Amino acid sequence: MEVGAARPAARPTLSLAEAGATPILREYRAVKAAHPGALLLARLGDFFELFGEDAELAAPILGVILTGRAFGGAGRLPMCGVPAAAATQYIGRLLAAGHRVVLWDQIEDSGAGRGLVRREVTRVLSPGTVLDEAFLEPETAVRCVALWASNGRTGVAALDASSGDLQLGEVAGGLDSTTLAEDLERLQAAEVLLVEGERLDGTLPGTPRTALPVAWFDSARGAQRLREATGTATLAGFDADRLSIAHAAAAALLAYCERSRIALPAGFLRVRARAQASTMSLDAATRRNLELLGGLVGLLDRTRTPMGARLLRARLQEPLLEVAAIEARLATVAALHGAREIRAELRLALARVRDLERLVGRCVHGLASPRDVLAVAAACEALPRVAELVSELGVLAGEGRNQPSLAPPPGLAASLRRLLVDDPPATLRDGGAVRAGADAELDGLRGAGSDARSFIATLEERERARTGIRSLKVGYNRVFGYYIEIPNAHREMVPADYHRKQTLVGAERYITPVLKEQEAVVLGARERSVAREVELVAAGVAGVADHAAGLLAAAGGVAGLDVAQALAEVADEQGWCRPAIDASLTLEIEAGRHPLVEAALPAGAYVANDCALVGHAPTGPAVAPAAQLMIITGPNMAGKSTYLRQVALTVLLAQVGSFVPARSARIGVCDRIFTRVGAHDDLAAGLSTFMVEMTETAAILNTATSRSLVVLDEIGRGTSTYDGLSIAQAVVEYLHDAAHLGCRTLFATHYHELTALSESLARVRNARVEVVEEGDAVTFLHRIVEGGADRSYGIHVARLAGVPGAVVARARRLLAEHEQRRPIAADARGRVQLALPLASAAAHPVVEELERLDLDGLTPLQALNKLAEWHDRVAARPGGPEPG
Ligand code: ADP
């Protein structure tokens, strides 16, 4: 079929619906209708082609030229195409752009019949359900997440189709709930399935949404399909029996997979309920502030398998809340930490298990190559060594009561080894993957072929002898097959049974009946032996798929061990300690460090700092008030936010089950970690930045409990000084006083005025970052010490920066004046009050205007209008001006 005919400029562009009704277009339209919203790629000869609107959409993404064809109609139907041989790369681009792709492939040779070549939909690919190795990152799980909101709750079903992992959960609220947003961030959803007409705004804006009919979200059917898929009579074993809203989401998800031709047989699909109560949610700001999936994972990822790498990322996103569960993880890390040699051996053994999870997945999906199958065998052979080392250490491979067996399916590796050669080719196209002796039929086919091949190989010598032509050659090409070539000089000596086939410049090529007969044997045997190999390898793949459940359980155990050894490795190298975990409200860190800042500095340059806070529960025992909220002051660049982040990171690492960067740590489990750090470099963005800051602050004040850790940096910085100072003070008071709060809090601020709060609020303490100045040199010691910071520090910096002496001197005088004018005084209730100097009010343009106003020259109506105008202006500027 010809493609990409030249563009006839005059003809109108037609839509797919308007274009003619050639047989292929009729079929194309039918397939398109069966897969709404997807890009349909039709195989025409050596190309995959897109038509109409699909072509217009895809051409720029694919980077190919949009052409058009008449198709018998009066206009031109847009089309574009990509070579089938390079299709993978192009499909990857469409998926990355968030599109779903349907491959409508030829399932017979184009030459085979008259009429239309038979085509079928062979693959449906979408960003959330891709299975091919080419489209997957080893360390990133790809999840398709279906959502169903009902009765004030939202059911979440999240499937990793490459590994069969299906998580079910329900969160409070509808599609706009914060908890749902946090859950989708945690899951790193690659595609979201929604009911037609529903919207999911805000969360994961770049993630494609796919709309599905409401009838697909059927709870009873979902539960039924989950029971079938897991091969169980009840879902109670997965703690998933009561999640009826999530069952509806799962129903749609499984139906979607079915339409996408993704097989999820029992044993492969593993259902688990998201343990909402036993893991911590992390908001987007905290995730970002702590660089969980950036710098932190980069530091921690010493895993040796992609499964371990993925599990590490998942665990960083859901710290634990139960002491026993955290201790269980820590015990494994500790055992590995204390056994360097065993750990080194384990690392070697783990590497040989490779990505067993996805290897098994590819076998289940029928996408495994001979190399994948052999990799499964190698993994099975490595598992006993892993098990041996684990029992030597006396640790557990898995979490909780379900201990996975690390034992490989008996005999599987040996049978795969018997089947495949040691170094099989990447594909089965040319055969050569199956070992000689593995199959009698294949051996027979290969034998027949090789007899014929050796006949041909010796033909040259024999024909030279028979004809007496020394320069006679036997060769092969794709068009003519085997031939005998004779230079023109010897044309006279060519025997009568040679048939001329091709004329070259200085020679002729001939064939003989005997040669063609043997050639047919060679080619026929080859074709049949490749077909037989395909059958045999498919049986091997199916053998692996049959053992999916056992292999995946072992893979899960290996992933857990891999994460533990990675954390032990980091802890050993970086000198981290095992934290003591309990259910108290205590937080005690001795000589803590920020692992990422530390790594960026020369060895030994990082200054370690302590932290001691105790949360306040209203019902707690009446003891001498301990530090609950620490106000940290200090100049810019002194290390305040580094300290804040380091404390939050330490708690997070501990609850993930990792050792922590400190000499010692005692951590009463936190139910949430809230951080509001940074963004203050972004002052130019103005009010909107401040709005974001306040929204995040509001979320913290509304959701934190006395078990939470709250880390706030420069609250109120995004608005005018007095505005910001007032907000900051009110926030501190609330965190201290509110009955549901009293949470462990670090509060960094440049408002020195706030340090006075420690006098009136029993559990507030002051700390500052120490700075020494000798002559013109200032050194940031980065050491956190008790007490408030020197408030004239900014002026020192100005001097050091070369601001003229007169300006510095004037600034000193002004500072002294300001301090006199706005003392912080305590009110009758012992509350600190900030006396705002009148100067700030006088600076307001409305006030200035009022002073200048000629009252006698105004009518009552003018006065009223003036009043209304000022009112509007003042209301529009809640922050008022920055005082000079
Ligand atoms: P602030 O929040 O007070 O403006 P930062 O926390 O951003 O300051 O720290 C500024 C820089 O100081 C960091 O980038 C780092 O290089 C250095 N620093 C911070 N804390 C320490 C520390 N404890 N030891 C050594 N250097 C530190």
Side-chain angles (χ1 to χ4, degrees):
M1 197 163 241
E2 107 217 44
V3 288
R7 199 180 307 196
R11 294 228 203 109
T13 300
L14 300 178
S15 70
L16 185 60
E18 296 158 348
T22 64
I24 178 124
L25 276 187
R26 234 177 290 144
E27 272 194 54
Y28 186 90
R29 282 194 196 100
V31 178
K32 189 96 190 104
H35 296 274
L39 295 173
L40 177 54
L41 272 65
R43 177 78 177 260
L44 305 183
D46 290 336
F47 280 77
F48 275 109
E49 300 282 353
L50 296 104
F51 297 106
E53 298 81 345
D54 280 8
E56 289 173 324
L57 191 63
I61 302 170
L62 295 170
V64 299
I65 291 171
L66 188 66
T67 61
R69 263 184 72 172
F71 279 103
R76 166 184 153 270
L77 178 65
M79 61 184 281
C80 69
V82 298
T88 307
Q89 173 205 339
Y90 288 104
I91 294 167
R93 286 188 205 167
L94 295 175
L95 292 172
H99 292 289
R100 286 183 296 125
V101 175
V102 174
L103 292 187
W104 188 39
D105 207 346
Q106 288 174 192
I107 51 164
E108 63 185 11
D109 275 348
S110 7
R114 314 121 310 258
L116 266 190
V117 180
R118 282 211 304 135
R119 292 189 179 81
E120 262 178 25
V121 171
T122 51
R123 296 292 306 280
V124 180
L125 301 111
S126 76
T129 62
V130 284
L131 302 165
D132 311 62
E133 201 179 1
F135 306 134
L136 296 172
E137 300 282 348
E139 67 281 357
T140 314
V142 171
R143 292 199 192 85
C144 187
V145 181
L147 302 177
W148 170 250
S150 160
N151 290 328
R153 291 179 70 73
T154 302
V156 180
L159 175 71
D160 178 342
S162 70
S163 71
D165 175 61
L166 175 61
Q167 293 184 51
L168 301 179
E170 292 182 7
V171 298
L175 291 180
D176 55 355
S177 100
T178 323
T179 323
L180 179 65
E182 285 166 4
D183 216 29
L184 291 173
E185 291 258 1
R186 173 186 66 89
L187 290 164
Q188 299 278 294
E191 181 177 0
V192 178
L193 309 181
L194 295 167
V195 179
E196 266 161 356
E198 295 246 42
R199 292 170 59 91
L200 176 72
D201 295 320
T203 310
L204 300 172
T207 304
R209 276 76 162 140
T210 302
L212 299 177
V214 66
W216 288 22
F217 293 79
D218 179 316
S219 177
R221 206 159 101 241
Q224 172 64 26
R225 297 184 73 153
L226 286 171
R227 281 191 296 268
E228 284 163 15
T230 52
T232 51
T234 159
L235 296 171
F238 312 101
D239 291 329
D241 50 338
R242 280 191 225 121
L243 302 171
S244 61
I245 302 177
H247 294 163
L253 182 59
L254 295 177
Y256 181 66
C257 287
E258 197 167 291
R259 191 180 72 180
S260 302
R261 291 172 164 65
I262 295 169
L264 298 168
F268 177 62
L269 191 73
R270 289 156 299 144
V271 178
R272 61 188 167 114
R274 151 104 160 109
Q276 201 94 47
S278 59
T279 57
M280 187 196 293
S281 298
L282 294 166
D283 54 273
T286 298
R287 222 177 267 284
R288 197 174 54 235
N289 289 334
L290 301 183
E291 298 178 62
L292 294 188
L293 293 189
L296 185 64
V297 82
L299 180 80
L300 295 178
D301 192 357
R302 306 298 178 79
T303 57
R304 300 307 308 270
T305 69
M307 312 178 280
R310 293 194 294 274
L311 184 62
L312 175 65
R313 281 159 181 76
R315 286 201 178 162
L316 281 177
Q317 309 237 59
E318 42 184 18
L320 301 176
L321 297 178
E322 287 156 3
V323 175
I326 299 170
E327 285 292 351
R329 282 190 191 169
L330 282 171
T332 308
V333 177
L336 285 157
H337 181 259
R340 226 174 247 182
E341 275 168 31
I342 296 186
R343 194 169 79 229
E345 278 200 54
L346 182 65
R347 286 169 61 77
L348 290 176
L350 288 174
R352 289 167 49 217
V353 181
R354 302 201 4 211
D355 202 344
L356 182 56
E357 199 174 65
R358 283 190 179 165
L359 287 166
V360 171
R362 286 205 289 279
C363 288
V364 167
H365 297 306
L367 295 171
S369 72
R371 287 181 186 169
D372 289 339
V373 179
L374 207 62
V376 172
C380 289
E381 287 156 358
L383 284 173
R385 182 68 188 134
V386 174
E388 221 170 83
L389 292 165
V390 165
S391 74
E392 228 172 287
L393 274 172
V395 297
L396 299 175
E399 307 213 287
R401 46 204 155 88
N402 308 320
Q403 286 303 309
S405 161
L406 292 177
L412 180 63
S415 78
L416 298 177
R417 289 278 184 206
R418 278 196 302 276
L419 177 66
L420 295 170
V421 298
D422 291 339
D423 188 14
T427 78
L428 276 174
R429 204 178 37 232
D430 299 318
V434 176
R435 201 181 273 285
D439 178 64
E441 186 184 331
L442 179 64
D443 290 345
L445 291 168
R446 283 177 174 167
S450 86
D451 287 351
R453 257 197 312 279
S454 54
F455 172 87
I456 292 169
T458 54
L459 186 68
E460 195 169 87
E461 264 320 300
R462 276 182 283 117
E463 290 300 298
R464 280 181 187 170
R466 174 158 85 101
T467 58
I469 306 171
R470 295 296 311 151
S471 51
L472 176 149
K473 276 191 297 199
V474 172
Y476 179 86
N477 75 24
R478 287 206 168 262
V479 182
F480 299 113
Y482 288 101
Y483 56 79
I484 299 167
E485 186 176 301
I486 294 174
N488 289 343
H490 304 287
R491 200 181 290 170
E492 303 309 311
M493 297 158 76
V494 170
D497 60 338
Y498 279 30
H499 302 289
R500 203 171 68 215
K501 201 69 192 159
Q502 191 186 10
T503 303
L504 305 180
V505 177
E508 297 276 1
R509 286 177 178 173
Y510 303 87
I511 55 171
T512 71
V514 183
L515 182 57
K516 285 293 126 177
E517 202 174 280
Q518 294 301 320
E519 179 187 289
V521 174
V522 169
L523 297 182
R526 212 179 116 86
E527 196 175 306
R528 277 184 294 147
S529 78
V530 168
R532 180 63 186 157
E533 283 202 49
V534 169
E535 261 173 47
L536 291 168
V537 172
V541 167
V544 174
D546 285 345
H547 290 106
L551 288 168
L552 289 171
V558 165
L561 284 166
D562 196 15
V563 170
Q565 72 74 21
L567 295 177
E569 190 84 358
V570 176
D572 195 7
E573 258 177 41
Q574 310 280 320
W576 293 6
C577 76
R578 175 177 181 168
I581 306 292
D582 58 35
S584 71
L585 296 179
T586 299
L587 175 55
E588 271 173 25
I589 299 168
E590 196 194 339
R593 286 119 58 199
H594 188 304
L596 301 179
V597 176
E598 184 183 21
L601 293 174
Y606 194 86
V607 178
N609 277 303
D610 301 344
C611 178
L613 295 173
V614 185
H616 174 75
T619 53
V623 287
Q628 173 226 318
L629 189 152
M630 200 181 329
I631 293 176
I632 303 153
T633 44
N636 278 340
M637 291 304 286
K640 298 185 299 299
S641 49
T642 304
Y643 177 67
L644 262 51
R645 286 194 177 96
Q646 118 187 358
V647 171
L649 262 179
T650 301
V651 171
L652 179 117
L653 282 169
Q655 294 189 213
V656 160
S658 166
F659 279 27
V660 296
R663 189 184 309 133
S664 75
R666 180 165 162 239
I667 291 163
V669 170
C670 297
D671 62 354
R672 299 263 325 216
I673 298 172
F674 292 101
T675 65
R676 233 226 59 82
V677 193
H680 52 250
D681 300 331
D682 207 17
L683 280 178
L687 203 69
S688 62
T689 308
F690 182 60
M691 189 64 193
V692 170
E693 181 187 325
M694 284 300 113
T695 309
E696 290 178 11
T697 307
I700 296 174
L701 297 180
N702 291 328
T703 2
T705 76
S706 52
R707 289 225 145 261
S708 307
L709 173 68
V710 173
V711 160
L712 296 171
D713 195 9
E714 302 282 20
I715 283 295
R717 172 122 181 201
T719 182
S720 74
T721 306
Y722 294 105
D723 213 10
L725 175 52
S726 312
I727 291 171
Q729 178 176 349
V731 167
V732 169
E733 288 174 359
Y734 192 67
L735 286 164
H736 183 271
D737 291 345
H740 69 283
L741 292 173
C743 41
R744 289 161 280 184
T745 305
L746 294 176
F747 196 101
T749 182
H750 65 287
Y751 296 124
H752 307 107
E753 293 86 345
L754 291 180
T755 57
L757 289 170
S758 68
E759 287 159 29
S760 57
L761 302 176
R763 299 181 305 278
V764 169
R765 300 287 183 275
N766 289 326
R768 62 190 164 87
V769 195
E770 209 175 9
V771 175
V772 290
E773 200 186 338
E774 287 172 51
D776 275 2
V778 162
T779 317
F780 291 146
L781 294 183
H782 306 301
R783 192 181 304 133
I784 311 282
V785 294
E786 265 177 50
D790 171 7
R791 58 182 65 191
S792 67
Y793 191 78
I795 293 175
H796 289 292
V797 174
R799 181 169 59 81
L800 294 174
V803 171
V807 175
V808 172
R810 168 78 179 135
R812 271 193 214 289
R813 278 200 304 282
L814 283 173
L815 177 69
E817 269 175 47
H818 282 311
E819 280 173 352
Q820 254 181 359
R821 266 198 249 156
R822 35 158 230 208
I824 291 197
D827 66 9
R829 288 164 48 235
R831 275 277 178 268
V832 169
Q833 297 254 295
L834 302 172
L836 300 190
L838 265 178
S840 96
H844 198 288
V846 169
V847 176
E848 283 168 14
E849 215 178 304
L850 176 64
E851 275 172 355
R852 285 197 307 270
L853 198 66
D854 173 19
L855 285 178
D856 297 336
L858 286 180
T859 67
L861 184 62
Q862 281 170 333
L864 211 53
N865 285 337
K866 203 74 200 161
L867 196 59
E869 179 208 316
W870 288 338
H871 181 267
D872 288 350
R873 273 165 63 193
V874 173
R877 302 186 46 172
E882 279 278 357

